Amino acid sequence: MSMNYQTGREPVTRDTTPVLLTTGVPVSIVIAGLVPGPPVVLPTLDLMNTLRVPVEVTELHFMCFATSFQPDYLELSLNLGGHSIAQWAPMAAIDVRRHAVAREVGISGASTTHRWVLPRPLIVAPNEGFAGMVRWTPLIAPTANGTVQFSMVARGRRLPGATRIARVRDIPWASGTYFPVAADGTPAPDMTFRNPFPSVLHVASINATSAVGGMLVSVARFLGVRINGPGGLSNNVIRSLVDDGATAVFGERNAIEEPHDLEPGDAHQITFYDYTAALEEPLAAAITGWREE
Amino acid sequence: MAVLHPLPTILTTRVRIPLASAGAYVAVVPGLRNTDAVGVLIDSIVFGCNMISTAQGVQIDLRWHNEQLTAGLVDLLAVAWPWPYPATGATGTVAIKLTRPMYLAPGDFISLGAVSTAGGRAVNDLTVAAIGRQVAAAPHEVWLPYLQDYIGPTYAINSGAAIADQSGAADLGNPFDVPLEIERMIGRVMRADPPPPWFIDTLPSPIWSTFTMRVSDHRDNFWVSRFAPLPIVCNGPDRSWILNHQLEPKGFVRVEFEGVANVADPDGFHDCRAEIGLVGYRRIQP
């Protein structure tokens, strides 16, 4: 969009108006008397494009603030209209940044901020919106009764020239799980990440991280990892390493970013082995990608 | 042919700005001078201080020849990025990472000035330097940084006062006849044990959610249409929103604040306020 002025001012060359869709004031629940136990589902979220033009969303951010405990072990389910975007994906694992910067501890609680850079921009029509839920598993008891606040934002920009949404869109996808790792080298149960859709899932990354806001491998920890799966990285054993193998495989971004396709029904299986003497915190793993729908 | 230093280096004279007298403007001309025989590209301007509280009460202005690099005096912590470290306590470093490097020919300089608003607190000297790298030739176009801020009103955090405030057309905008590339918006909630200096309120604290904001522009395009807490709009932990926006000439950004200053104050009677910084650049022909 260029603007020409009679005064001879230099016009802008493109419309770059940023847009941030938010859930507004964070949804909040009171946590009282919780002990480690089954997951707690936080209130549902809704985030709508209230503009009259489509919005191209490139990032989703999730912020959780808790007054009496570390807001870790968060999982996300999300959909856009009838399109599923995430199915209980661990937030720690869909954010491939160094998690040391994603968590803050302050005078009255702790917060985490997770960022999911979508593998493909997602076009959101006017009056279309996200709906989702966050599940929190209290693996560590809160130190005191308190509150949890949760919010989500979608970052992108306007598409004022778009008069209609294409029939087929790129829809992002994330799925995963938290899992404990035995201390004695016994492998954790295999995790299976299957393409649940009737169309090809374009895998953007396979991620793994410490569930507790940290890097994948602590100094005193050695992990082996094996990733099997059809197509994609290789047909058989993709990675089979011991002695800090997980760090070597996933690197500083906690992700294997080798794009490949998973046919409908096909799956990746990931096995972690922990060779450290002491039991460490659980891990989180996720697969992210996109599909045409 | 000149042998260029292979590593980023402190390229200019280090300038010491004595801030012994609160409220007294101290100008340093020439300020950050390129003393090398070759040109340099500046990536960051770094401010070192004996007490971080000094930096938290400092306003600066920067000029290059007749060109303003700041919209008058701007609050240092409204434009500093990434997150200043340490946030409180001992000796600290505050940096402004430029979104595009700025070229200085041999002998050329950036003038700077500063004023301390630290009030009754002990103040110390501010040491300023520019960091970047040497280059063999001048670029074919020059990027001039432009820093601006909007400082909101002060509220007593447990007063129950309703927050209703918005920036004006002259606060966060493009005063030039060329597009202004706005790379990032920085948002911070500040609090002070009166009198100032102002301390960055770190997450998590109940105070950070006191201010909710929405954002629009001079054409009434909403950038953020639903009031949301400031630290969510300017996302933690570095409190910035990467905009990559080309603001048209004479355009402006409008930020509106709402909220209620109704937070239990654990330490005594405190004031709080919101600060918004915009960091960007414009192109000029050398």
Side-chain angles (χ1 to χ4, degrees):
Chain A
M1 177 175 76
S2 65
M3 310 303 299
N4 294 312
Y5 290 87
Q6 296 300 320
T7 56
R9 294 173 189 151
E10 181 181 322
V12 296
T13 56
R14 61 195 189 281
D15 185 351
T16 55
T17 305
V19 169
L20 191 150
L21 307 178
T22 79
T23 50
V25 176
V27 294
S28 178
I29 65 170
V30 177
I31 302 294
L34 279 183
V35 297
V40 176
V41 178
L42 300 181
T44 56
L45 305 166
D46 72 280
L47 188 153
M48 181 175 289
N49 175 13
T50 56
L51 305 181
R52 296 195 187 92
V53 297
V55 172
E56 180 188 72
V57 173
T58 53
E59 293 184 21
L60 296 175
H61 289 226
F62 311 96
M63 178 180 287
C64 184
F65 167 47
T67 59
S68 61
F69 53 90
Q70 303 292 346
D72 296 308
Y73 310 109
L74 298 168
E75 298 168 285
L76 171 75
S77 272
L78 193 67
N79 69 75
L80 177 72
H83 306 283
S84 181
I85 293 176
Q87 187 175 47
W88 297 132
M91 286 191 201
I94 61 176
D95 178 356
V96 296
R97 296 173 300 168
R98 294 180 68 93
H99 295 291
V101 300
R103 184 218 256 171
E104 297 173 273
V105 178
I107 62 175
S108 59
S111 70
T112 56
T113 303
H114 292 294
R115 181 180 73 169
W116 183 14
V117 179
L118 301 182
R120 284 285 191 279
L122 173 62
I123 311 299
V124 182
N127 297 318
E128 191 177 30
F130 297 90
M133 290 184 290
V134 175
R135 187 168 71 185
W136 169 59
T137 303
L139 296 181
I140 299 175
T143 56
N145 296 336
T147 58
V148 179
Q149 290 184 337
F150 195 82
S151 57
M152 184 173 86
V153 300
R155 296 183 185 272
R157 59 187 72 254
R158 289 156 39 98
L159 291 177
T163 56
R164 61 186 176 88
I165 304 299
R167 275 199 310 125
V168 177
R169 283 185 285 180
D170 294 335
I171 305 294
W173 171 249
S175 176
T177 186
Y178 291 108
F179 59 100
V181 180
D184 59 356
T186 304
D190 281 355
M191 290 175 294
T192 300
F193 296 102
R194 191 175 304 280
N195 175 7
F197 304 108
S199 58
V200 170
L201 178 66
H202 307 286
V203 176
S205 66
I206 300 173
N207 311 331
T209 184
S210 168
V212 187
M215 285 299 291
L216 179 61
V217 175
S218 61
V219 172
R221 185 174 203 177
F222 300 96
L223 287 179
V225 63
R226 184 181 68 211
I227 303 175
N228 297 348
L233 302 175
S234 81
N235 285 329
N236 295 306
V237 176
I238 299 168
R239 298 284 192 275
S240 183
L241 295 169
V242 297
D243 294 345
D244 208 16
T247 296
V249 168
F250 290 94
E252 283 198 352
R253 283 173 57 81
N254 293 347
I256 299 174
E257 293 175 295
E258 296 180 24
H260 59 279
D261 291 343
L262 269 182
E263 296 293 328
D266 281 348
H268 281 304
Q269 286 152 337
I270 300 180
T271 306
F272 282 95
Y273 305 77
D274 192 344
Y275 292 88
T276 51
L279 182 64
E280 298 287 347
E281 65 271 3
L283 299 179
I287 188 170
T288 69
W290 56 281
R291 66 196 186 277
E292 292 105 355
E293 196 166 284
Chain B
M1 186 166 76
V3 176
L4 303 182
H5 197 290
L7 298 174
T9 184
I10 297 176
L11 298 167
T12 66
T13 51
R14 278 170 290 178
V15 178
R16 175 175 157 272
I17 302 179
L19 296 174
S21 175
Y25 178 85
V26 180
V28 186
V29 179
L32 302 171
R33 176 187 287 275
N34 176 14
T35 56
D36 289 338
V38 296
V40 296
L41 283 176
I42 294 173
D43 298 314
S44 299
I45 300 174
V46 181
F47 300 80
C49 41
N50 287 34
M51 288 175 61
I52 194 66
S53 58
T54 303
Q56 291 175 138
V58 170
Q59 295 176 316
I60 60 167
D61 68 6
L62 303 172
R63 290 178 306 283
W64 179 71
H65 300 282
N66 294 326
E67 304 286 351
Q68 283 291 132
L69 305 183
T70 59
L73 282 167
V74 297
D75 197 89
L76 176 57
L77 288 183
V79 295
W81 186 86
W83 186 247
Y85 180 82
T88 58
T91 304
T93 300
V94 178
I96 300 174
K97 181 169 172 58
L98 302 182
T99 56
R100 286 288 188 278
M102 177 180 171
Y103 178 75
L104 282 183
D108 203 357
F109 59 88
I110 296 173
S111 301
L112 49 82
V115 61
S116 167
T117 60
R121 298 298 174 105
V123 295
N124 299 95
D125 296 340
L126 204 61
T127 302
V128 190
I131 298 178
R133 58 193 185 278
Q134 298 173 329
V135 291
H140 63 275
E141 65 176 10
V142 174
W143 297 312
L144 292 184
Y146 192 65
L147 315 173
Q148 49 189 318
D149 68 352
Y150 173 68
I151 309 298
T154 299
Y155 301 89
I157 64 172
N158 58 359
S159 62
I163 296 171
D165 175 52
Q166 72 174 46
S167 63
D171 291 316
L172 298 170
N174 179 7
F176 308 106
D177 285 332
V178 297
L180 182 66
E181 308 282 346
I182 300 179
E183 295 276 345
R184 77 178 79 102
M185 174 185 288
I186 300 164
R188 299 205 164 120
V189 173
M190 311 293 284
R191 66 171 175 152
D193 192 9
W198 291 93
F199 294 84
I200 293 175
D201 195 62
T202 55
L203 274 175
S205 158
I207 299 171
W208 71 265
S209 59
T210 297
F211 295 87
T212 63
M213 65 183 287
R214 68 179 180 182
V215 184
S216 55
D217 63 19
H218 56 288
R219 293 185 177 275
D220 293 329
N221 291 323
F222 273 108
W223 296 10
V224 182
S225 61
R226 182 191 271 186
F227 280 96
L230 188 154
I232 291 175
V233 176
C234 296
N235 189 248
D238 64 3
R239 312 295 187 271
S240 67
W241 180 9
I242 306 302
L243 297 173
N244 290 329
H245 177 56
Q246 197 178 58
L247 185 63
E248 57 189 340
K250 309 305 179 184
F252 63 88
V253 181
R254 181 189 303 114
V255 294
E256 302 171 75
F257 293 107
E258 280 187 356
V260 177
N262 188 21
V263 177
D265 181 359
D267 304 319
F269 191 78
H270 276 111
D271 291 340
C272 62
R273 73 182 191 202
E275 290 190 356
I276 298 294
L278 288 183
V279 179
Y281 70 96
R282 61 190 165 107
R283 295 183 184 87
I284 65 170
Q285 296 301 319

